[in-house]
Amino acid sequence: MRVEPLTCSIGAELIGVKLADAVHDAALFDEIKKELIRHRVLFLRDQDFTRAEHVAFARRFGELEDHPVVGSDPEHPGLVRIYKSPDSPPDRYENAWHTDATWRERPPYGCVLRCVECPPVGGDTMWANMVLAYEQLPDHVKTQIEDLRARHSIESTFGAAMPIEKRLALKAQYPDAEHPVVRTHPDTGEKVLFVNGFTTHFTNFHTPDRIRYGQDANPGGALLLSYLISQAYIPEHQVRWRWKKNSVAIWDNRSTQHYAVMDYPPCVRQMERAGIVGEKVF
């Protein structure tokens, strides 16, 4: 297995390895997992495996989860089908910087995404290193946010365009989760800036050391949150991957954000993703 970094800050391509082999080869899987922690997102070409092998490889990291809105393959629970066609309505979720499912109390550990079919050009995906995003914040901002917590919502994102009854039922099933703004990576101990497109507001911003008057609360908190979310937009934090059929990306959802570029309609783009259950954020 050869490892070729794609940028100075995030991402590497694995060459000379078949992920299907790692289903039964513990040593190979351990090497892949080590490189994932190191580079945060791994890329591979020419991975012509079955859906069963896709699911089996992802399960080496942990149990898989379904998505309450996006459909899964009926024969392979946990394998979410992200299928776009010229007839698909415009999507408003993938083409925003986000960390998957932070509206869960236990957001995903990571994901294994395979391209089944893609446009001849366009439809790239970008990832951002949110450990680096935190490290490069000004010191006074790090001090300001060290104890902040924030809410993450499926209702205000996936639920927003639903009829009100369906939206409220979705919120009842998945109440807004609250997470620290700066989380700790459970494997490395690194600090991670942990706000994204699912984050709606801070829950403990309105304190005497931050607020002179009650009028300060909303603009002060909202502007700070907007600034923090924008740190994923910085190109020096990013890597961009051009898809081909049977290309695969594996990412650490705990330390990254990603953005699926939708510059390809009217075309077919079919992706299959196995999301791995994560741990409670701390």
Side-chain angles (χ1 to χ4, degrees):
M1 184 174 74
R2 192 164 82 253
V3 182
E4 293 192 356
L6 298 185
T7 76
C8 295
S9 58
I10 180 174
E13 184 174 356
L14 302 186
I15 298 171
V17 61
K18 297 295 184 184
L19 293 182
D21 294 339
V23 174
H24 306 290
D25 187 333
L28 175 59
F29 175 79
D30 289 345
E31 282 296 308
I32 293 170
K33 185 175 181 180
K34 182 181 72 175
E35 296 299 336
L36 177 63
I37 298 299
R38 178 183 176 190
H39 295 285
R40 311 194 190 281
V41 55
L42 301 176
F43 304 104
L44 303 94
R45 299 286 190 195
D46 303 318
Q47 300 296 307
D48 188 13
F49 49 65
T50 66
R51 286 174 172 167
E53 288 171 327
H54 186 165
V55 167
F57 171 75
R59 278 212 178 99
R60 300 273 334 228
F61 292 96
E63 289 302 310
L64 305 186
E65 63 182 28
D66 284 315
H67 194 283
V69 177
V70 184
S72 293
D73 182 77
E75 297 180 5
H76 302 91
L79 193 66
V80 175
R81 299 181 295 188
I82 308 170
Y83 289 2
K84 310 295 182 185
S85 75
D87 300 322
S88 300
D91 198 296
R92 303 170 307 282
Y93 311 114
E94 290 180 82
N95 57 338
W97 282 105
H98 65 285
T99 299
D100 279 337
T102 56
W103 37 264
R104 294 186 187 273
E105 283 295 326
R106 297 171 59 193
Y109 169 104
C111 296
V112 181
L113 179 67
R114 182 171 73 107
C115 177
V116 177
E117 184 176 353
C118 61
V121 65
D124 298 352
T125 304
M126 301 185 291
W127 282 262
N129 179 344
M130 300 312 294
V131 173
L132 183 62
Y134 173 79
E135 289 174 353
Q136 295 193 350
L137 287 173
D139 287 342
H140 75 276
V141 175
K142 291 180 181 178
T143 299
Q144 188 178 18
I145 67 175
E146 62 183 357
D147 65 336
L148 281 180
R149 299 179 65 83
R151 286 283 169 83
H152 299 244
S153 174
I154 191 173
E155 180 197 18
S156 65
T157 50
F158 284 97
M162 294 178 177
I164 186 169
E165 296 83 3
K166 190 173 181 180
R167 172 171 58 80
L168 293 176
L170 184 67
K171 183 180 181 180
Q173 185 177 3
Y174 298 96
D176 292 354
E178 181 178 305
H179 303 303
V181 169
V182 181
R183 75 170 292 175
T184 302
H185 194 288
D187 292 334
T188 67
E190 298 166 307
K191 292 186 176 182
V192 184
L193 183 59
F194 201 65
V195 292
N196 68 93
F198 292 120
T199 311
T200 58
H201 64 282
F202 300 127
T203 53
N204 61 334
F205 185 81
H206 200 302
T207 57
D209 58 325
R210 296 188 182 96
I211 303 299
R212 303 167 304 156
Y213 306 99
Q215 186 62 33
D216 285 348
N218 289 338
L223 289 172
L224 177 58
L225 179 57
S226 179
Y227 167 74
L228 295 175
I229 289 175
S230 75
Q231 299 308 297
Y233 311 165
I234 297 171
E236 285 81 358
H237 298 162
Q238 300 171 5
V239 64
R240 182 167 179 147
W241 178 246
R242 184 172 182 178
W243 293 102
K244 296 179 181 179
K245 183 178 180 179
N246 289 330
S247 294
V248 170
I250 309 166
W251 69 91
D252 184 342
N253 196 60
R254 303 165 298 178
S255 63
T256 63
Q257 292 190 37
H258 57 282
Y259 183 115
V261 181
M262 293 192 182
D263 57 353
Y264 54 86
C267 289
V268 172
R269 183 177 184 269
Q270 295 189 345
M271 315 292 284
E272 295 181 349
R273 186 192 73 199
I276 302 143
V277 175
E279 56 277 287
K280 189 173 176 60
V281 179
F282 63 92

